[in-house]
Amino acid sequence: MTRPADTSTAMTAARPAVRWRSIDRIAAVGHALLDGRCRLCAGPSAYWAICAGCHEELPWSSAACRRCGLPLSAGADHCAGCLSAPPAFNRSVAVWSYTHAVAPLIRRFKLYDDWAAGRLLSAMAAAQLRARHWSCPAPLVAMPLHVQRLRQRGFNQAELIAHWLGGPLIKRLVKRTHHTPSQRQLNAATREDNLRGVFALQAPPPQAVTLVDDVMTTGASLNALARCLREGGTQHIEVIVLARAI
């Protein structure tokens, strides 16, 4: 398959864009009145559930590959991997690196049903994307879970993140047809093998979409999802993740 060029600026300018959710001021007031403590250091926190100092020290992503979000030295636009074998998506952004305080918050959200942690990260991500004037094509499409994994976990973390980030969000566009084992300890090649034919379209896809997930490790799952959408006719695909593994 011919890989598309990185035409993100022109494409997003011509299509409806995602609307990043504004700060929930009622929730902020409720936090100040009922708790007022930072989740990370337990110090006073008047607005977010994280104090200004801890917020500043989060591993915010800055210089990164435009295609896959891998952290790079300042001045480089693309990593070596994307130059030699670009993924099926056009552009991606990771708000943080998957280290320090961000990693345990994501794990608490995903594995221990700590929705407050997921909502906090998503709200901070939406605020950062809005502050950067980051434009992504609508609609958002969350990474689907297999029905067996969904029953075990009780929720799809990517779908919740997409909802908390903003919208519009399109659901039930793609189905995960196979239950794959945890990919956490696998290398890129093995992940690719596990994900062959794992996604199937449930409806004709839009011409442009933005995929959402919690963490990008090798990018294999997002690449497989993007390939499925391209085979259905999607022309432009971007990706947003809370964090990028280094």
Side-chain angles (χ1 to χ4, degrees), residues 72-127:
L72 296 174
S73 301
D77 289 335
H78 295 86
C79 68
C82 287
L83 289 174
S84 61
F89 45 85
N90 298 78
R91 184 177 68 153
S92 65
V93 59
V95 182
W96 297 283
S97 296
Y98 189 62
T99 57
H100 305 306
V102 169
L105 283 175
I106 290 177
R107 286 195 295 269
R108 284 197 56 80
F109 167 46
K110 187 157 103 172
L111 303 177
Y112 300 100
D113 300 346
D114 188 345
W115 284 27
R119 188 185 291 271
L120 172 62
L121 289 169
S122 300
M124 290 191 294

Side-chain angles (χ1 to χ4, degrees), residues 74-219:
D77 289 335
H78 295 86
C79 68
C82 287
L83 289 174
S84 61
F89 45 85
N90 298 78
R91 184 177 68 153
S92 65
V93 59
V95 182
W96 297 283
S97 296
Y98 189 62
T99 57
H100 305 306
V102 169
L105 283 175
I106 290 177
R107 286 195 295 269
R108 284 197 56 80
F109 167 46
K110 187 157 103 172
L111 303 177
Y112 300 100
D113 300 346
D114 188 345
W115 284 27
R119 188 185 291 271
L120 172 62
L121 289 169
S122 300
M124 290 191 294
Q128 182 72 3
L129 292 165
R130 193 169 55 251
R132 292 187 196 177
H133 303 289
W134 192 272
S135 180
C136 288
L140 296 172
V141 176
M143 173 65 70
L145 288 181
H146 187 267
V147 63
Q148 183 177 335
R149 182 68 57 81
L150 186 59
R151 287 196 190 107
Q152 290 171 345
R153 186 168 293 163
F155 63 95
N156 180 346
Q157 74 278 1
E159 193 169 288
L160 286 175
I161 292 166
H163 172 71
W164 291 329
L165 283 175
L169 167 65
I170 186 170
K171 299 181 180 180
R172 292 178 288 278
L173 176 65
V174 184
K175 180 180 180 180
R176 198 159 190 148
T177 59
H178 307 308
H179 178 59
T180 53
S182 173
Q183 303 269 84
R184 212 167 292 140
Q185 305 300 325
L186 303 179
N187 61 31
T190 307
R191 287 176 183 238
E192 291 280 357
D193 289 341
N194 283 352
L195 292 164
R196 293 189 191 282
V198 78
F199 297 110
L201 286 170
Q202 302 298 288
Q207 289 293 299
V209 299
T210 296
L211 308 181
V212 178
D213 207 357
D214 56 338
V215 179
M216 186 191 302
T217 306
T218 66

